[in-house]
Amino acid sequence: MIDLTKIDYHVVVLDEIGVWHNISEFIQNFGWEENENEISARFSFTARNDPVSAGRLSELIKPGCPVCVTVSDGNMPWQEVMRGYVETWKTSRQSGSDDLACIGYDSLYKLQKSQDNFYFPSGTGTKAAVMSVLEEWEIPFGIYEGPDATHGKLVFNNRYLSDILLELLDDARKKGERKCILRASEGMVNIIPRGSNKTIYVFSEDNVKSFSESVSTENLITRVKVVGKEKKDKTQVVEAVVDGYTQYGIRQKIYKRGSDESLDDAKKAAQEILNNEGGIKREIRVEGPDLPFVRKGDLIYILNGASPGNHYVKGVRHNADTYSMSMDLEPANIPEQEEMETEKSYEVGDIVDFHGGTHYVSSYPDARGYSARAGKAKITIKNGLGKAHPWHLIHVDNESNVYGWVDDGTFD
C-alpha cells in the first residue's frame, strides 16, 4: 500500500558526458501531465540556478538534456514515473534571484512534431503498419499489445506521424478491435489496450478534494444530410439523411458526395461526422492528492461522488510541489472486452430481432425508459455516449415500437 503522506520525488538529469545528477534540492516547482489531445507527456520545472560542479545549473542542463523523475514513499523502491528531454530552456534574474525554467516532453514528442508520407497497400495489418512508422523514425519500441486488423489501402501524405498512428489504431477499432493507446515508459514507446493497468485505484469523496461534472449540447450535430453533385440550376439532390441525437433538435451539417464516391461510402462519412461531432460533451474532473502512478488511459474506479463507477483517465496533471493531482475522466460502463465483442457482432445498418423490454430516451445511465414491444429493428447508432444503453434501434415494421436506446443483450 502506497503511503501518499510520505511520497518523495527525485529529479535527475544526464549531462553531456553521461553522468546523472540529482537536482531535486534545486527544484522550486515541478509537474508533469498527459493531456487528452496529445500523445506526448509534458514536464516543467523551475530551479534555482545555483553553482554546481559544472558551473551553474544552467550549464549542466541544456536543451536536449534527458530528465528522469522517480518516486518513493520510503518503503517501496524508487520507481520511474516520467522520462523526457528538455525542449525549452530559459534563465531569468530578478531581485537577486537567478532561476532556470525548463519544459520538456517524452519520446513521443518527435512523432507529434514530425510529418512524413506513408503508403500501406490493401491487406496490411495494424501491427506491421505501426511498426514500419516507428522503425523508419528509429523510435525505441517496447511492448506491442495492440490490434492487428487488416486494413484497406491507406495513403498518408504530409501527415504528422502521431496522426498516422492514431488513425491506424482508430481504423482497427472500427473493425472491432479494442481501443489502444500509445504510451512512453522508461524511454520506450508501447502500444497497449486502454484500461489494461493491473492496479485499479479507487477514489471516493473521503480521499479526494473535489468532483465536478458538466454536460453540454452546445456544439452538438444531430443530423448530416448527404447531397449529390449540383444540377444545372445549381440545386443539389438530397441522397441520404443520417440522424444522431435528434431528440435535442435538428442541428445539421451538409456532406457533399464526391464524383467518385459511392453513396454507401458517403453515408459512412456522414456517420463518421456524427461519431466525431454528434456526441454530447460530458466532462468529469477529479482533484485530490497526487498518486504518481496514475496515467492517461488507465482505468480507475469512483466509489461515490458526481459519477460513481468505472472510468478511463482522458488526461492527468501531477503537481509534485503541492502533492496534488487532477484527472479528466470518461465513463466506462461496460468492460472493454464486452465492448469489443459486441462491436464485432453488430454494425450500424444491421437488422436485428429486438427481444422487447425497455428503450431509453438517451444512452445515459439515468435516462428515462419506456416499454417497447419485440420485433424487427434497425441499428442506427452504436456505442452511445456513456454506454449504459449503447445501441440505438428503430423498428422496421408494426410488430415492434422500439425507437430509442437499448441495452446490450436485448437483441440478436
Side-chain angles (χ1 to χ4, degrees), residues 224-245:
V224 179
K225 185 179 288 186
V226 179
V227 299
K229 293 192 300 182
E230 288 184 355
K231 297 193 296 185
K232 290 182 179 179
D233 61 1
K234 300 299 183 182
T235 60
Q236 293 176 316
V237 176
V238 176
E239 299 182 327
V241 175
V242 183
D243 283 341
Y245 289 100

Side-chain angles (χ1 to χ4, degrees), residues 53-69:
S53 58
R56 287 193 175 273
L57 191 64
S58 57
E59 298 175 68
L60 177 68
I61 302 173
K62 298 180 179 180
C65 174
V67 176
C68 183
V69 184

Side-chain angles (χ1 to χ4, degrees), residues 345-346 350-355 375-377 379 393 409-412:
S345 301
Y346 303 104
D350 288 350
I351 304 299
V352 297
D353 290 309
F354 177 58
H355 303 161
K376 295 286 185 182
I379 299 174
L393 302 185
T410 59
F411 59 86
D412 54 36

Side-chain angles (χ1 to χ4, degrees), residues 9 12 22 31 67 75 100 107 113 122 127 142 146 149 166 193-194 204 206 231 251 272 287 291 307 321 361 365 375:
Y9 300 88
V12 295
N22 187 341
V67 176
N75 295 315
L100 171 66
S107 52
K113 302 298 289 186
S122 180
K127 183 176 181 180
L166 291 175
R194 179 177 64 164
S204 71
D206 297 330
K231 297 193 296 185
R251 305 178 192 181
E272 187 66 20
E287 298 184 0
L291 192 52
S307 183
D321 260 17
V361 298

Side-chain angles (χ1 to χ4, degrees), residues 145-265:
E145 295 177 351
D148 202 13
T150 300
H151 301 269
K153 182 178 74 172
L154 295 170
V155 181
F156 299 100
N157 290 324
N158 308 323
R159 296 285 302 277
Y160 284 100
L161 300 173
S162 57
D163 291 342
I164 293 173
L165 295 175
L166 291 175
E167 189 167 323
L168 286 166
L169 295 177
D170 184 60
D171 192 43
R173 165 75 166 174
K174 292 173 183 175
K175 290 175 167 56
E177 299 283 351
R178 293 185 68 175
K179 181 170 184 176
C180 293
I181 61 172
L182 291 97
R183 176 187 287 179
S185 297
E186 299 184 355
M188 308 291 285
V189 174
N190 302 315
I191 311 290
I192 58 175
R194 179 177 64 164
S196 58
N197 46 300
K198 295 180 180 179
T199 301
I200 299 177
Y201 295 105
V202 178
F203 299 85
S204 71
E205 290 180 338
D206 297 330
N207 61 15
V208 302
K209 180 181 177 181
S210 67
F211 289 100
S212 64
E213 181 176 7
S214 66
V215 178
S216 173
T217 62
E218 185 177 4
N219 297 311
L220 182 67
I221 299 298
T222 66
R223 172 174 290 171
V224 179
K225 185 179 288 186
V226 179
V227 299
K229 293 192 300 182
E230 288 184 355
K231 297 193 296 185
K232 290 182 179 179
D233 61 1
K234 300 299 183 182
T235 60
Q236 293 176 316
V237 176
V238 176
E239 299 182 327
V241 175
V242 183
D243 283 341
Y245 289 100
T246 54
Q247 64 265 37
Y248 293 98
I250 303 302
R251 305 178 192 181
Q252 182 172 280
K253 269 198 169 184
I254 301 295
Y255 181 83
K256 184 176 180 180
R257 181 167 69 91
S259 58
D260 297 327
E261 185 179 20
S262 69
L263 181 57
D264 283 344
D265 286 340

